[in-house]
Amino acid sequence: MPEYNWPEAEKRSRIGNRKTRLDGPVKVTGKAEYTYDVKLYGMLYAKMLTCPHAHAKIVSIDISQAEAMEGVKAIRMIQEPGAEIQWADDEIVAVAAETEDIARDALKAIKVEYEVLDHFVDDENKDAAPVVNPAQEEVTGDPDAAFANAAFVSEGFYGARVIAHACLESHGDVAVWDDDEHLTVFASTQAVSSLPGQFADGLGIPAANVRVICQHVGGGFGSKFSADRWGIECARLAKIAGRPVKLMLERDAEIHVAGGRPSSYAKIKTAADKDGNIVGWASESWGTGGPAGTGSPPVPYVWQIPNRRHQHSSIPTNIGPSRAWRAPNHPQACFLTMSALEDLAAKVGMDPLDFVLKNIALTGTRSQNYADELKIGADLIGWKHHWHPRGQAGDGPVKRGLGLALHTWGGRGHQSNCELVIHADSSVEIKLGSQDLGTGTRTVIALVVADTFGLTADDITVRIGDSRYPASGASGGSTTVGGVSSAARRASLVALEQLLGRIAPELEAKPEDLEVINSTIRVKGDHSKSLSWKEATALLGVSTITATGQHPGPGRLDDSGVAGIQMADVSVDTETGVVSINKMVAVQDCGLIIDLMTAESQVHGALIMGIAYSLAEERVMDPVTGTLLNGDMEFYKLPGIGDVGELVVHMMTGPGYDERGVIGLGEPPVVSPGAAISNAVANAIGVRVPYLPLTPDRVLEALGKGGAA
Amino acid sequence: MNSFEYASPRTIAGALEVLDNDSVILAGGTDLLSLMKEGLVAPKRVVNIKEIDELKGINVGEDGSVTIGALVTLEEVLESPDLAELCPSVVEAAAGVRSPQIQSVGTVAGDLCQRPRCWYYRNGFGLTAMKDGKSLARDGDNRYHAILGNDGAALFVNPSSLAPALIALDAKISIVGKSGSREVALADFFQTPSSDQEKEYKLEAGEILTAITIPSPAGKKVATYEIREKQALDWPLTAAAVAIEMNGDQVSAAKVVLGHVAPVPWVSAEAGAALAGKQVTAESAAAAGDAAVKSAKALSKNGFKIQLARVAVKRAVLRAAGMEV
């Protein structure tokens, strides 16, 4: 048994460096094949007829005309007459046809009669909701006494609107039956290894008969864990037609039914003593994520305020149901909490940086990390130089301001299995049923193996994205890097031990006296005795070395729990309400970093996504018809490069971080942008704009220069 | 998608022969193709005019007038030294279309004739978005809708990026049809439809917009100002274009045109009058902005656009005068 650990800093050859990602070339040249690109011989195209009403009962469905159309090869009634539809764009009938146009024409020929029912789609005004489901109030300490004795009390209202996942590659699949019992699915998914079971469940065949393939995915963000009803229907259409079928969602469906982050509104009261110590919190929150409502955001977020009261209400609405959106609930909770605390700091008359540092013990076990990160962030953004009290942003219509926020996440590695083979020709391959969401998973796996074997990442063939490889967890909750890198490290160590055992006699040494470095295996302390990696593996003759690795497993290779802080520098045009980002600074820890460039890229992406939901993104439902108004990329607004500003990322590494092992990074950096940017806007213009996104109408309304008539 | 005939004539005369009541004109196609894909337009015949050389090119006449062919692309506008020198506000306006793809294939006439971006229209509720006798836009989410000229059924805003700058320079357009050709002021080309049976511009079936002519802009101080939610591809929330003629240090005449505030590009005579006889100062520019929105009326969610229109006019005036905004 090898000793399962990560190499010491001075022995890392690949880990912790900057490596451009292995799949970069195929992506930038367009060679990478996404599910959307899959085109099989004889493939049909499927489209779905969806409900035009937010709430309705199906009275009748007539598919006879569509069935008779030339080129229509299969039709499936997804829902039957009598079914109650709870949101617009819910799927009713699916059609597979020779071309997309024929499929669309067939949908037009289907007649569905509805009994339209009352709908409710916007929960911002809780009092208008027909159904409100309050949860039990949670109380800690004595909030009443805390507020009664407080020197400063701040009260505010804050709200984050429903947004979509808006994956650039929409959800969908290509299904092909190899025979009546065996199915292959090309899926746009975050969960290669868990989809066979889901398809098997839906179709009544053994999971062993389902193969799922996904080499590249154009965004998931938590919305692509499921086979989904449309995936099952795609497979059914393919079976009926006896031909491969592709079913990818249209853009409006992608925005409305294939993703959604719940809204979160709250009235919050906070209290501080005369020295600026936070002593009390009281909040009443509500939100919706569709017909099932939504759970409470964890507020106060991170801050263990001694005396606190919180009550949440879940509000069912007739909108497409929510899915896990990158760091579920955290961005909303962070926005509510950090906005309220910044308002309290303003009431106390303190610089929020000083205020947060003064109270940092309330953040619990990671408080020292936060303090360290805040100091680094403050230097990087020039906090002490640029910060000013509210309302003191100088003359002229454009006001500049700074804001900050902090966040946490778990990120322990998921279950992962892998198989590693060293071939006699010196090549190395590693197989696991994982997937690369665009995060650099392939590259990370290759670096771990390369570091262990003294090779380069380009020497390693990484095979992922196929459910025939050893099962590996779904990519969600920042669990992938911890899982796959730990499993890959264990398999590499086992394989290396076997290889060294084989070649030690050749070098007249004991296996434990050998070391690998720069594609060479040599005797420690006697470098004249060495074999190149090629010479060493050639000794395998006609055999190979095969090793498996698992996570969890022996040794401490991963951990959970990170801290991160972000700061925003914004300019607000107080005549137009337009907010622009000058600079964002993110300081983040995530234990041992396998590839610094990939980690920084992950944070860059999160900042851009955070800027998007802070300034522009919002699912707009029509109050009259209850339907989605902005189901396209014109009105579902995502920023471009000119909207993003300067992004500065600082990763915490070295002693205190590296020895913790690998921790996931997908979620944490997307948590803080909303609060940091909102706080920067408040600092710039002197008043709180209570909503995300911070659109010009909302900024002007807060300034008393317009808004609703 | 419905099947359709496709014609690709090489002359205007040839195009007029194949254009009929059920035809649509295809130029850059950046709007038409999405309208067809969404089923909002279902023509029997698509007439591609891109092969007609008579519709191309930018020419400066001996009288200093500038003629822009209908097929001139936004990219050609951006790269034209003549336009940069003679009417920079038109170039600025073209730069507001923040998509290299649209700039490279989208045409000047196509920008003028693009259909409204109104989300009710684009979602199939019709140009005036009436449902059961009620206006969806008036009762629903009208944050991007009209603040001027919004008394009738039409509440969408004219989406053209170029029209305000062109109208401020008194541009005319040439239209040919089977019965001959006519020239009309661009400002009169647009109309506010009273129902879905009318269109938002006056181009009869069988007619082609062939060119845009700007009378000699010599001596006019021009500028545009857009207020946008995004720097990336997005239609502005509000835009203003101005052309100012000076007599010494005083404004002798000013034309102020707003975009994205009304179902038509909105010529604000009030704003022009507010500037006449004045020096351009921060105060007079602000007064022009106030005058521009004097008759504005907010719908339920677009009150902020009154403020935006006020500021866009003020800043366009200041920019035209070379002053800091």
Side-chain angles (χ1 to χ4, degrees):
Chain A
M1 282 275 283
E3 198 177 322
Y4 293 103
N5 53 22
W6 292 108
E8 295 297 320
E10 63 279 7
K11 291 201 170 165
R12 292 173 208 147
S13 58
R14 305 292 165 207
I15 290 172
N17 295 334
R18 283 190 166 79
K19 164 75 185 152
T20 54
R21 56 187 63 195
L22 297 179
D23 49 8
V26 294
K27 285 190 168 171
V28 298
T29 57
K31 283 185 188 158
E33 188 178 62
Y34 292 77
T35 304
Y36 218 107
D37 302 320
V38 172
K39 195 171 182 185
L40 302 178
Y41 180 75
M43 189 177 81
L44 302 172
Y45 296 85
K47 299 282 168 197
M48 294 184 290
L49 183 69
T50 59
C51 180
H53 308 293
H55 188 196
K57 206 172 249 181
I58 302 177
V59 176
S60 65
I61 303 177
D62 179 1
I63 60 170
S64 55
Q65 271 189 46
E67 270 180 318
M69 286 172 71
E70 197 180 326
V72 171
K73 297 296 176 187
I75 300 190
R76 282 272 314 156
M77 299 242 277
I78 302 174
Q79 302 199 64
E80 304 283 336
E84 188 173 329
I85 308 300
Q86 293 286 353
W87 60 86
D89 298 317
D90 198 16
E91 306 88 31
I92 311 294
V93 182
V95 174
E98 295 282 0
T99 67
E100 287 192 87
D101 286 334
I102 294 173
R104 284 201 185 95
D105 287 344
L107 297 185
K108 284 184 207 149
I110 295 169
K111 310 241 176 322
V112 184
E113 202 186 327
Y114 295 97
E115 178 193 345
V116 179
L117 306 171
D118 289 342
H119 65 259
F120 180 71
V121 293
D122 189 351
D123 64 319
E124 182 178 323
N125 177 8
K126 188 175 80 165
D127 297 334
V131 180
V132 175
N133 296 317
Q136 184 69 38
E137 185 181 63
E138 301 157 33
V139 181
T140 302
D142 188 346
D144 291 338
F147 280 102
N149 300 324
F152 301 97
V153 173
S154 171
E155 284 185 71
F157 165 78
Y158 313 88
R161 309 276 300 167
V162 173
I163 65 170
H165 290 63
C167 303
L168 286 189
E169 183 190 36
S170 65
H171 287 59
D173 309 85
V174 177
V176 51
W177 290 84
D178 309 317
D179 58 39
D180 278 355
E181 291 291 317
H182 291 81
L183 173 70
T184 298
V185 181
F186 297 85
S188 183
T189 184
Q190 300 179 233
V192 165
S193 290
S194 49
L195 282 201
Q198 294 185 38
F199 275 98
D201 258 4
L203 298 165
I205 55 172
N209 291 7
V210 182
R211 179 182 184 189
V212 170
I213 298 170
C214 176
Q215 287 303 313
H216 301 281
V217 54
F221 314 114
S223 68
K224 289 181 178 168
F225 294 122
S226 165
D228 282 316
R229 188 164 62 185
W230 49 76
I232 305 292
E233 294 299 337
C234 177
R236 286 181 176 147
L237 289 168
K239 190 153 193 184
I240 294 168
R243 287 167 61 176
V245 170
K246 176 189 267 188
L247 195 168
M248 304 296 295
L249 293 193
E250 304 282 351
R251 181 55 56 189
D252 53 355
E254 179 63 29
I255 291 174
H256 190 194
V257 304
R261 189 180 83 177
S263 61
S264 221
Y265 302 97
K267 291 174 186 165
I268 302 173
K269 208 164 116 178
T270 53
D273 69 15
K274 64 177 178 20
D275 300 322
N277 295 301
I278 305 168
V279 295
W281 169 282
S283 55
E284 184 199 336
S285 68
W286 66 96
T288 191
T294 189
S296 177
V299 291
Y301 179 69
V302 178
W303 297 87
Q304 305 294 312
I305 297 170
N307 307 292
R308 58 187 191 266
R309 161 181 290 132
H310 174 60
Q311 212 256 312
H312 176 75
S313 296
S314 167
I315 302 192
T317 48
N318 300 106
I319 64 171
S322 64
R323 296 184 173 211
W325 193 98
R326 201 171 178 178
N329 271 331
H330 282 232
Q332 300 98 311
C334 179
F335 164 66
L336 298 176
T337 304
M338 293 304 301
S339 297
L341 291 182
E342 213 266 357
D343 286 348
L344 179 61
K347 198 109 190 178
V348 174
M350 280 180 79
D351 174 338
L353 178 62
D354 299 335
F355 181 76
V356 163
L357 284 169
K358 182 182 182 73
N359 287 283
I360 204 72
L362 293 178
T363 62
T365 53
R366 313 228 93 81
S367 57
Q368 189 55 50
N369 298 43
Y370 287 123
D372 293 345
E373 291 173 346
L374 283 164
K375 283 165 195 156
I376 292 168
D379 281 345
L380 290 172
I381 207 158
W383 185 280
K384 284 297 168 189
H385 181 65
H386 293 301
W387 187 84
H388 53 76
R390 282 189 186 181
Q392 296 180 27
D395 301 329
V398 179
K399 313 283 187 192
R400 187 170 172 184
L402 296 186
L404 65 83
L406 51 80
H407 56 258
T408 188
W409 189 256
R412 186 177 291 286
H414 59 200
Q415 285 200 357
S416 180
N417 298 282
C418 67
E419 182 183 291
L420 186 147
V421 182
I422 302 174
H423 294 276
D425 69 350
S426 83
S427 59
V428 177
E429 63 178 324
I430 180 166
K431 295 180 274 196
L432 56 172
S434 186
Q435 51 281 317
D436 191 333
L437 293 194
T439 51
T441 302
R442 271 186 187 82
T443 311
V444 162
I445 294 166
L447 286 168
V448 167
V449 179
D451 194 288
T452 312
F453 292 166
L455 301 174
T456 69
D458 299 297
D459 296 328
I460 314 300
T461 298
V462 178
R463 301 193 193 282
I464 60 170
D466 189 331
S467 63
R468 290 191 174 170
Y469 300 143
S472 198
S475 288
S478 304
T479 58
T480 306
V481 70
V484 300
S485 63
S486 299
R489 173 69 173 171
R490 291 191 177 98
S492 306
L493 289 168
V494 170
L496 182 64
E497 189 179 64
Q498 288 179 34
L499 180 67
L500 297 184
R502 281 290 285 280
I503 65 168
E506 299 285 331
L507 293 170
E508 297 166 338
K510 291 181 191 154
E512 58 269 30
D513 293 333
L514 301 179
E515 62 183 1
V516 287
I517 189 159
N518 289 336
S519 305
T520 304
I521 300 174
R522 67 189 187 192
V523 178
K524 289 177 197 162
D526 181 1
H527 297 179
S528 68
K529 286 185 180 174
S530 72
L531 286 171
S532 69
W533 179 263
K534 201 166 177 61
E535 291 164 342
T537 54
L539 296 172
L540 295 173
V542 295
S543 63
T544 59
I545 286 176
T546 300
T548 60
Q550 295 80 32
H551 188 74
R556 181 181 166 181
L557 299 182
D558 73 333
D559 202 355
S560 177
V562 299
I565 70 101
Q566 291 183 8
M567 293 174 177
D569 174 347
V570 307
S571 289
V572 185
D573 187 327
T574 54
E575 291 187 348
T576 65
V578 173
V579 177
S580 47
I581 306 291
N582 301 318
K583 184 173 177 176
M584 294 280 296
V585 168
V587 186
Q588 183 68 51
D589 71 312
C590 62
L592 176 69
I593 292 174
I594 303 292
D595 179 27
L596 196 50
M597 183 181 279
T598 305
E600 288 167 350
S601 294
Q602 184 81 304
V603 181
H604 279 128
L607 288 171
I608 292 168
M609 200 169 186
I611 289 166
Y613 77 69
S614 300
L615 298 189
E617 279 186 85
E618 175 181 6
R619 231 164 55 178
V620 181
M621 305 303 298
D622 180 38
V624 181
T625 62
T627 58
L628 179 71
L629 286 175
N630 61 342
D632 55 48
M633 298 307 258
E634 178 180 338
F635 281 111
Y636 190 85
K637 300 195 179 192
L638 293 175
I641 204 73
D643 297 293
V644 162
E646 182 190 359
L647 307 180
V648 176
V649 176
H650 179 92
M651 301 303 298
M652 303 296 282
T653 56
Y657 296 96
D658 293 4
E659 65 270 21
R660 295 185 63 198
V662 178
I663 311 175
L665 182 61
E667 336 285 307
V670 87
V671 174
S672 273
I677 293 169
S678 180
N679 285 340
V681 169
N683 180 241
I685 65 176
V687 293
R688 171 69 54 181
V689 181
Y691 297 100
L692 293 181
L694 292 147
T695 48
D697 52 341
R698 298 186 174 108
V699 174
L700 289 175
E701 188 169 13
L703 287 166
K705 289 183 183 173
Chain B
M1 193 184 292
N2 293 347
S3 297
F4 55 84
E5 295 172 1
Y6 181 78
S8 192
R10 292 180 175 270
T11 62
I12 291 175
L16 293 176
E17 266 178 53
V18 291
L19 277 172
D20 63 16
N21 283 345
D22 296 318
S23 305
V24 293
I25 294 172
L26 170 68
T30 61
D31 192 23
L32 179 65
L33 294 186
S34 22
L35 291 166
M36 288 172 68
K37 283 182 182 173
E38 295 295 334
L40 297 171
V41 173
K44 292 214 172 106
R45 183 180 294 162
V46 172
V47 179
N48 171 38
I49 59 168
K50 283 197 293 289
E51 304 298 321
I52 304 177
D53 289 340
E54 302 157 76
L55 301 175
K56 297 176 181 171
I58 299 169
N59 294 299
V60 181
E62 280 175 18
D63 59 353
S65 66
V66 183
T67 300
I68 305 172
L71 284 179
V72 167
T73 64
L74 298 176
E75 190 171 280
E76 288 170 319
V77 169
L78 289 167
E79 291 172 354
S80 162
D82 287 335
L83 293 181
E85 187 194 330
L86 298 169
C87 30
S89 55
V90 177
V91 181
E92 281 175 8
V97 180
R98 299 281 168 83
S99 155
Q101 290 93 335
I102 293 178
Q103 285 175 353
S104 71
V105 297
T107 64
V108 170
D111 174 78
L112 299 176
C113 295
Q114 70 177 303
R115 306 305 305 275
R117 313 307 307 182
C118 167
W119 48 27
Y120 290 102
Y121 172 65
R122 296 278 165 174
N123 279 305
F125 292 108
L127 198 52
T128 58
M130 300 297 287
K131 191 168 189 259
D132 307 328
K134 292 179 81 178
S135 164
L136 287 176
R138 200 173 286 282
D139 293 345
D141 199 314
N142 45 43
R143 68 184 76 178
Y144 300 123
H145 285 76
I147 52 168
L148 285 158
N150 58 5
D151 293 326
L155 299 178
F156 62 83
V157 296
N158 181 280
S160 171
S161 294
L162 301 181
L166 290 168
I167 293 172
L169 287 166
D170 297 320
K172 294 179 170 53
I173 54 169
S174 303
I175 293 171
V176 298
K178 289 194 178 79
S179 53
S181 62
R182 59 193 168 102
E183 196 173 59
V184 296
L186 179 58
D188 297 334
F189 176 61
F190 297 101
Q191 64 182 356
T192 302
S194 54
S195 76
D196 285 7
Q197 275 64 56
E198 294 176 354
K199 233 175 170 179
E200 68 280 11
Y201 53 83
K202 299 176 208 164
L203 195 64
E204 302 302 325
E207 289 187 327
I208 305 175
L209 194 169
T210 56
I212 298 98
T213 302
I214 303 166
S216 173
K220 290 184 182 174
K221 293 178 181 293
V222 295
T224 63
Y225 195 87
E226 287 184 346
I227 298 170
R228 8 185 356 115
E229 258 181 351
K230 271 167 60 179
Q231 294 306 307
L233 174 63
D234 196 8
W235 276 253
L237 294 166
T238 297
V242 298
I244 299 172
E245 291 169 70
M246 302 295 288
N247 183 3
D249 66 351
Q250 289 189 353
V251 173
S252 58
K255 192 145 190 184
V256 177
V257 188
L258 291 101
H260 313 276
V261 295
V264 296
W266 189 263
V267 179
S268 177
E270 299 93 329
L275 285 167
K278 305 262 171 47
Q279 292 180 353
V280 177
T281 61
E283 289 70 31
S284 66
D290 290 338
V293 298
K294 212 164 172 189
S295 58
K297 268 182 283 186
L299 303 171
S300 57
K301 290 195 168 211
N302 69 356
F304 76 108
K305 286 185 70 173
I306 295 177
Q307 164 71 8
L308 298 188
R310 185 184 286 132
V311 175
V313 168
K314 177 180 82 171
R315 292 185 179 180
V317 169
L318 291 173
R319 286 192 63 184
M323 297 167 69
E324 245 183 78
V325 300

